[in-house]
Structure formats: C-alpha cells, structure tokens
C-alpha cells in the first residue's frame, strides 16, 4: 500500500503493518486493516512472551481508534490465540492496544486525559462512548501507571480518611501524602481489614519509616495505625475538626429554622396568586425562608462569600443571635488552624471555654470531642499539617466521587481519583 508511514503516523500505531485503508460509506467509518510486524506477532497477550500459535480465535476483530476529523476510525485485524507456558491459551498481544481492550493506546490516553480534565458529558460526547466505557479505560490506564512506578517509596507523613460515594451509602478509605499532597491509595470499604490492606501493601520496612499519621479519630483507624506504625505521631485531621464545627453549626441553624416553621403555621395563610397589597406581614414565614437560604453563607469561609451571602450573614447577625454565635464559634475554631503553635495552644483553650459556656447544645457536645482530641489538634498545628492543602485534596476527592456516579464499579472511581490526584496525571498522546 502507498503512504504506509503516513497512515502509521495518522493512526498512532507502532510495530504495525498497515495493509490497506478503506472508507465504509454505509457505516461512515474508516477501516484500517492492520497486522503486527513479524517481531510483534505471536506473543502472549498477558506477558508478551513469544509463544506458539494455538488457533485463529474468533476471527477478525475491530479496535476503535481516534477519529480522523469528524469520521470514526477502526483498526481491523486477525485475533489469533497462542498457548503461553504461564497463561495457557490466550488471545495474542497486539501492539496497538492493551490486552482485552477494544480501543487503541492513543484512544485510551485521550480518554484518560479528558476524564481528568473535562466534564462527564464532554468526555462521553466527544469520544462517543458510554461513561461505563470511560471507567473501564481509566482503570486499565491506571493499572499501567501503577505497574510502571513505585508510588509508595519514601512516604513519611500520611493522612487517612473515609469518603462516601453513591449518595452516601458506600465508603472508600483513602490515604494521602502530606508532603507531596498526592493521593496515595484508595479502596472500597470502611473497616479494619480495608485499611490494613494499605499497610500490608507498604510492608513492615516502609511502615516503620512513617513518622506522622493524621486521621479523623475513628477508633478502628486508631487501632490499625497503632498496630502497623506504633511509633508514628498521631495527629488530628484539621479538615474533619472544622467539618465537625460546620456540622454543629448546621444543626443549630436547622433547629432555628424548624422553630420558625412551627411559628409560621400560626400565621394567616395566603390565597393563591400574589398576596393582596394589604396582606398582613408574616415574619416567621419570612424568617424560615431566610434561614433555609443562608446555609451556604454560614458554611463558606468568609473570604469566599458572594455579596448576597455577606448580606445573608449580616441578616443572621441582626436577627438570630444563637445561630450567629454558633457561626462565630465555627469560624473561631477554623482560624486556630491558621495560627502558629504558641498562639494556637492558648486560643484553643479559650475556644473550649467559650463553647462550654455557650449554652448551645451542639457546641457544648463538640467541645467535649475537642477536649479529647486536644493534643492531636495541637500536634497537627505543630507539625504543619494544618494547611489548606489537606482540605483541598479532600475537597477534590469529594468532587471526583460526584463525577463518578454511573461508574459500574468503585475501581473506576478509584482509578479516576488516582489519575487525577496521584501525581501521574495523564498526558495527551504524542505530546511531551
Ligand atoms: Zn503469558
């Protein structure tokens, strides 16, 4: 065939003979008939060792390649089987695609890059594949990254966390590296056995090199860390401590909202259609509505508030002293993590006293947990694990879990999270 090297470059294939290329008008697809070069032929699909041919397998097969302009492209080739000493009868390896994959290497690489960069609908529409297929592709791309790198070498300071997915019914255990701010590992589950899997993977030598472990104080995590890294300094996870305070604040807001709703029921109902000009005011109804709407204003960091949210906050300060005090308690605790240790230590004690006397049940209760965690909270500040990086990794993992609805397996979700946050972000094929 003419222009063989042109077609090899255009299709992004290597160690491949392009026999001929045709345009299938009915299917509106370019079909490139290919075969492996002599050196790449007759190899086990799993280990790539040279093996004797077994049979012709199921005949011709197709692999989706990257589109040419707006036209879909497939590679078509024989898919014979070989008999491997180790892997028995398997389909022979092809140099243009991973074993068992229905897409070429450049196609897989493009999908992996897109999945870590663009929205779900952008990936599925541009590549013309289902989100399920995206999941399968990123799983195999991640498996190759993992096989080719030693990501767990030299880790010293780690954070352990649980992340919910599938609308909060299922959990992943995740481990992040505080020094590089990378996601190191994740697995489905929320128990001792799941977390032990990480330390077993690490092995005793590397476990003994871990100097600091942050966690949210769950007893089962404490037990596993004590068993595998008895000498590591245990610190509180600032992200969780602040989240406890945010949750306590939300309980106070909800209680105030429920009270306003109860009182609102005694106010006169309004007829359908807009209220008449002389309608009596309904202050509790308005209050309930405003309390419902201010949730995000209370939850966000003050520096990130929009103008409207700043107004909502001012309204809370003026009309609901208890919710406003709860807000100040939450913010006070958050700010302690931004202080140097010598200021943070007395500030934390003052905060505990303030919360204890607040007469707000949610914060009196939170204060008790803070007393229990006091040393670990101060250790987090002392060892510099209190920065916003920990929080941002947590937030990003949570965003990925939301994107991952619709994946059929948690392994796809884990692969997407590790590709995005594991320090080995995919690159587009053919770029350096
Ligand atoms: Zn083999």
């Amino acid at each position: 065939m003419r222009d063989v090297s042109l077609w090899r470059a255009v299709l992004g294939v290597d160690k491949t003979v392009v026999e001929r290329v045709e345009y299938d008008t009915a299917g509106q697809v370019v079909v490139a008939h290919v075969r492996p070069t002599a050196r790449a032929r007759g190899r086990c699909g799993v280990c790539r060792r040279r093996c004797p041919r077994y049979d012709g397998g199921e005949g011709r097969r197709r692999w989706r390649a990257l589109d040419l302009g707006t036209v879909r492209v497939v590679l078509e080739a024989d898919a014979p089987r070989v008999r491997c000493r180790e892997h028995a009868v398997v389909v022979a390896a092809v140099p243009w695609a991973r074993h068992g994959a229905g897409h070429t290497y450049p196609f897989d690489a493009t999908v992996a890059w897109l999945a870590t960069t663009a929205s779900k609908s952008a990936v599925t529409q541009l590549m013309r594949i289902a989100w399920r297929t995206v999941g399968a592709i990123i799983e195999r791309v991640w498996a190759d990254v993992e096989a080719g790198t030693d990501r767990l070498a030299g880790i010293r300071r780690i954070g352990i966390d649980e992340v919910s997915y599938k609308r909060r019914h299922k959990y992943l255990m995740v481990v992040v590296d505080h020094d590089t701010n990378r996601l190191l590992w994740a697995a489905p589950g929320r128990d001792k056995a799941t977390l032990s899997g990480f330390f077993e993977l690490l092995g005793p030598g590397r476990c003994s090199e871990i100097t600091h472990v942050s966690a949210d104080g769950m007893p089962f995590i404490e037990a596993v860390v004590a068993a595998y890294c008895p000498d590591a300094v245990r610190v509180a996870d600032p992200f969780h401590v602040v989240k406890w305070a945010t949750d306590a604040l939300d309980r106070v807001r909800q209680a105030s909202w429920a009270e306003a709703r109860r009182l609102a029921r005694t106010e006169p109902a309004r007829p359908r259609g807009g209220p008449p000009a002389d309608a009596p005011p309904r202050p509790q109804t308005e209050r309930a509505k405003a309390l419902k709407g201010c949730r995000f204003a209370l939850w966000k960091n003050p520096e990130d508030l929009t103008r409207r949210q700043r107004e909502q906050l001012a309204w809370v300060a003026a009309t609901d002293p208890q919710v406003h005090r709860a807000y100040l308690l939450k913010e006070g605790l958050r700010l302690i993590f931004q202080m140097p240790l010598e200021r943070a230590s007395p500030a934390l004690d003052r905060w505990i006293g303030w919360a204890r006397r607040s007469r707000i049940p949610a914060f009196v209760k939170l204060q008790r947990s803070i007393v229990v965690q006091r040393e670990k909270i101060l250790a987090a500040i002392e060892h510099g694990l209190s920065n916003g990086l920990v929080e941002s990794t947590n937030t990003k993992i949570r965003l990925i879990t939301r994107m991952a609805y619709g994946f059929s397996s948690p392994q796809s979700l884990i692969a997407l999270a590790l590709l995005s946050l594991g320090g080995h972000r995919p690159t587009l094929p053919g770029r350096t």
Side-chain angles (χ1 to χ4, degrees), residues 27-191:
Q28 295 191 326
V29 58
V30 169
V31 183
H33 297 264
V34 297
R35 64 169 193 270
T37 57
R39 279 178 64 86
R41 204 174 308 152
R43 291 179 181 272
C44 167
V46 181
C47 65
R48 306 243 161 186
R49 230 176 285 161
R50 195 168 271 286
C51 307
R53 183 186 161 93
Y54 179 75
D55 67 4
E58 289 175 22
R60 302 283 286 175
R61 256 194 67 187
R62 283 183 169 191
W63 291 260
R64 178 90 189 274
L66 289 171
D67 292 356
L68 275 178
T70 56
V71 185
R72 286 196 308 132
V73 178
V74 295
L75 304 188
E76 193 183 292
D78 289 332
R81 295 194 294 176
V82 294
R83 185 195 292 277
C84 173
R85 264 180 297 160
E86 198 184 334
H87 301 106
V89 174
V90 288
V91 176
V94 293
W96 53 81
R98 290 179 172 84
H99 185 56
H103 307 83
T104 63
Y105 284 111
F107 192 97
D108 279 3
T110 304
V111 169
W113 180 84
L114 274 169
T116 57
T117 312
S119 72
K120 188 168 169 173
S121 60
V123 185
T124 54
Q125 288 180 37
L126 180 65
M127 302 309 288
R128 302 186 242 209
I129 49 176
W131 187 239
R132 242 186 5 262
T133 311
V134 175
I137 289 175
I138 55 184
E139 273 184 57
R140 60 194 184 227
V141 170
W142 175 251
D144 274 9
V145 172
E146 190 148 52
T149 52
D150 184 6
R151 296 176 315 106
L152 300 181
I155 57 174
R156 300 282 179 271
R157 308 195 305 168
I158 59 169
I160 300 171
D161 198 2
E162 310 133 62
V163 182
S164 63
Y165 70 103
K166 291 246 164 134
R167 315 221 183 265
R168 303 186 171 277
H169 293 312
K170 298 196 167 174
Y171 285 85
L172 296 181
M173 296 288 326
V174 302
V175 178
V176 298
D177 183 338
H178 285 305
D179 293 304
T180 58
N181 200 31
R182 287 175 183 173
L183 177 62
L184 288 172
W185 175 90
R190 190 201 200 186
D191 50 30

Side-chain angles (χ1 to χ4, degrees), residues 124-432:
T124 54
Q125 288 180 37
L126 180 65
M127 302 309 288
R128 302 186 242 209
I129 49 176
W131 187 239
R132 242 186 5 262
T133 311
V134 175
I137 289 175
I138 55 184
E139 273 184 57
R140 60 194 184 227
V141 170
W142 175 251
D144 274 9
V145 172
E146 190 148 52
T149 52
D150 184 6
R151 296 176 315 106
L152 300 181
I155 57 174
R156 300 282 179 271
R157 308 195 305 168
I158 59 169
I160 300 171
D161 198 2
E162 310 133 62
V163 182
S164 63
Y165 70 103
K166 291 246 164 134
R167 315 221 183 265
R168 303 186 171 277
H169 293 312
K170 298 196 167 174
Y171 285 85
L172 296 181
M173 296 288 326
V174 302
V175 178
V176 298
D177 183 338
H178 285 305
D179 293 304
T180 58
N181 200 31
R182 287 175 183 173
L183 177 62
L184 288 172
W185 175 90
R190 190 201 200 186
D191 50 30
K192 267 186 171 179
T194 308
L195 183 57
S196 299
F198 170 74
F199 292 104
E200 291 293 331
L201 189 68
L202 215 52
R206 286 177 173 182
C207 282
S208 68
E209 289 171 0
I210 290 183
T211 56
H212 297 77
V213 180
S214 75
D216 65 357
M218 291 282 285
F220 84 90
I221 298 181
E222 296 294 315
V224 173
V225 174
Y228 285 93
C229 307
D231 299 328
V233 177
R234 247 70 79 56
V235 308
D237 185 335
F239 175 83
H240 282 283
V241 176
V242 173
K243 188 170 180 300
W244 295 341
T246 311
D247 291 346
L249 166 60
D250 204 49
R251 280 197 293 280
V252 177
R253 180 194 62 87
Q254 278 179 18
S256 187
W257 173 65
E259 173 68 7
R261 290 236 306 172
R262 195 179 61 77
L263 293 170
R265 270 181 231 125
T266 63
E267 291 174 345
R270 287 208 170 140
R272 279 174 164 278
D278 60 345
R282 300 193 305 162
Q284 294 298 337
T285 307
E286 296 303 319
R287 192 165 104 87
K289 213 198 266 174
L291 276 166
K292 198 173 157 72
C294 72
R295 184 170 168 226
F296 286 103
L298 293 168
W299 173 72
K300 272 168 96 174
N301 299 345
E303 60 273 20
D304 300 332
L305 291 176
T306 63
R307 191 200 155 102
R308 160 136 179 78
Q309 287 168 336
R310 280 201 302 274
E311 286 166 6
Q312 288 176 322
L313 210 53
W315 175 84
V316 168
T319 61
D320 202 321
Q322 171 138 315
V323 174
H324 188 235
R325 264 191 304 135
Y327 173 76
L328 295 176
L329 278 160
K330 182 270 278 184
E331 275 301 302
L333 186 61
R334 193 176 69 84
L335 289 174
I336 289 171
F337 286 102
Q338 296 170 10
M339 295 176 183
L341 181 63
E342 63 275 15
R343 281 179 55 209
S345 177
L348 187 60
D349 292 334
R350 275 197 306 277
W351 188 93
I352 290 168
W354 179 21
R356 193 190 304 130
R357 292 187 305 270
S358 69
R359 296 189 307 271
I360 305 174
F363 278 87
V364 174
K365 187 164 167 244
L366 171 62
Q367 164 268 137
R368 280 189 219 114
S369 312
I370 299 288
V371 169
V372 172
Q373 295 279 321
R374 186 179 176 279
E375 295 313 310
K376 286 181 183 167
I377 290 173
L378 293 176
I381 294 168
E382 182 186 352
H383 297 285
L385 296 179
S386 50
N387 50 35
L389 294 177
V390 183
E391 187 175 329
S392 87
T393 307
N394 270 292
T395 310
K396 282 183 211 151
I397 295 171
R398 282 166 175 83
L399 284 175
I400 290 169
T401 62
R402 230 177 290 160
M403 191 171 169
Y405 287 147
F407 278 153
S408 49
S409 88
Q411 296 307 327
S412 304
L413 161 59
I414 290 168
L416 182 59
L418 284 163
L419 277 175
S420 304
L421 305 171
H424 294 273
R425 285 185 73 94
T427 49
L428 281 167
R431 315 277 177 94
T432 44

